[in-house]
Amino acid sequence: MGLFSRRSSQTAAPAPQGTVATLPVDPALAALTGAYAIDPAHSSIGFTVRHAMVTNVRGSFAQHEGTLHLDGSDPSRSTASIDVQIASVSTGIADRDAHLLGSDFFDAELFPLMTFRSTSAAQLGGDTYRITGELTIKDVTRPLSIDLEFAGSATDVYGSERVGFEGSAEILRSDWGLTWNAALEAGGVMVSDKVKLTFDISAVKQA
């Protein structure tokens, strides 16, 4: 995913005219290069949407899986793939969850998965990165960019090497065919078109 590469604080010597200057890569971060599996027990994928024009409803998807290939030396060569089980959606209210799973929204029986496949990654500055890819909901595939912050790396008590990141993105749900709404008497609509997606991910390096 590329977000796990930091540049060394060393100042690079000026490059000769006609060449491109490159900064040295931190060896510790380069060592993070490899394949990772997202740990769903220590990760969350959620969303926030405005309800009745006055408050926010928050939800999450309990079942998801994914893989990352991180290149600590060259962020642009990193990739990510995530599959989310729509039926695992939870907002804390059973009737609302049932509505989301029905044909007005996700139509989960016909379209059980939401997927993301990365196509590129770039460093925005410091520990902040942007990963761009394709988000598919209800068989509609559209581009999505997610801004991410590297949360660090560590070896857990079982000896597994972990990396973590937090990220978010905003989408218009209507772009993916999620168009249901209801008008309010005082004006406005029941559910906003804008949805904020949130990602809090812990991933384990594979042998």
Side-chain angles (χ1 to χ4, degrees):
M1 201 169 262
L3 64 164
F4 305 110
S5 168
R6 271 185 234 160
R7 297 299 187 183
S8 168
S9 58
Q10 272 182 274
T11 301
Q17 188 172 1
T19 64
V20 177
T22 58
L23 295 177
V25 176
D26 185 337
L29 292 168
L32 295 177
T33 297
Y36 291 76
I38 292 175
D39 176 7
H42 297 94
S43 304
S44 65
I45 297 176
F47 59 89
T48 303
V49 62
R50 199 76 172 162
H51 177 261
M53 310 294 290
V54 296
T55 190
N56 289 317
V57 168
R58 293 175 174 83
S60 63
F61 297 93
Q63 297 178 25
H64 50 82
E65 60 184 14
T67 58
L68 314 175
H69 176 76
L70 308 181
D71 191 319
S73 300
D74 184 354
S76 67
R77 297 171 60 183
S78 299
T79 61
S81 175
I82 302 174
D83 293 340
V84 177
Q85 295 285 341
I86 294 296
S88 70
V89 69
S90 175
T91 63
I93 297 179
D95 287 347
R96 182 164 59 204
D97 295 344
H99 191 195
L100 289 174
L101 293 175
S103 58
D104 283 344
F105 286 96
F106 288 113
D107 206 354
E109 287 192 8
L110 287 178
F111 309 102
L113 283 180
M114 174 172 63
T115 66
F116 177 79
R117 302 289 184 265
S118 68
T119 55
S120 65
Q123 185 177 24
L124 300 182
D127 287 335
T128 304
Y129 297 78
R130 177 168 294 157
I131 185 164
T132 299
E134 295 183 335
L135 177 68
T136 300
I137 306 173
K138 297 181 72 174
D139 279 356
V140 176
T141 301
R142 295 182 61 86
L144 175 70
S145 292
I146 306 170
D147 288 348
L148 301 154
E149 183 175 355
F150 176 46
S153 63
T155 301
D156 65 22
V157 295
Y158 303 105
S160 299
E161 186 174 3
R162 290 178 178 268
V163 293
F165 63 87
E166 300 175 27
S168 65
E170 288 189 349
I171 66 171
L172 298 178
R173 60 188 178 90
S174 59
D175 287 344
W176 281 267
L178 303 171
T179 57
W180 182 90
N181 228 320
L184 301 175
E185 289 186 9
V189 292
M190 182 68 73
V191 185
S192 68
D193 193 18
K194 182 185 294 185
V195 179
K196 182 179 181 181
L197 304 177
T198 56
F199 306 86
D200 192 348
I201 301 298
S202 176
V204 178
K205 195 170 189 178
Q206 304 300 286

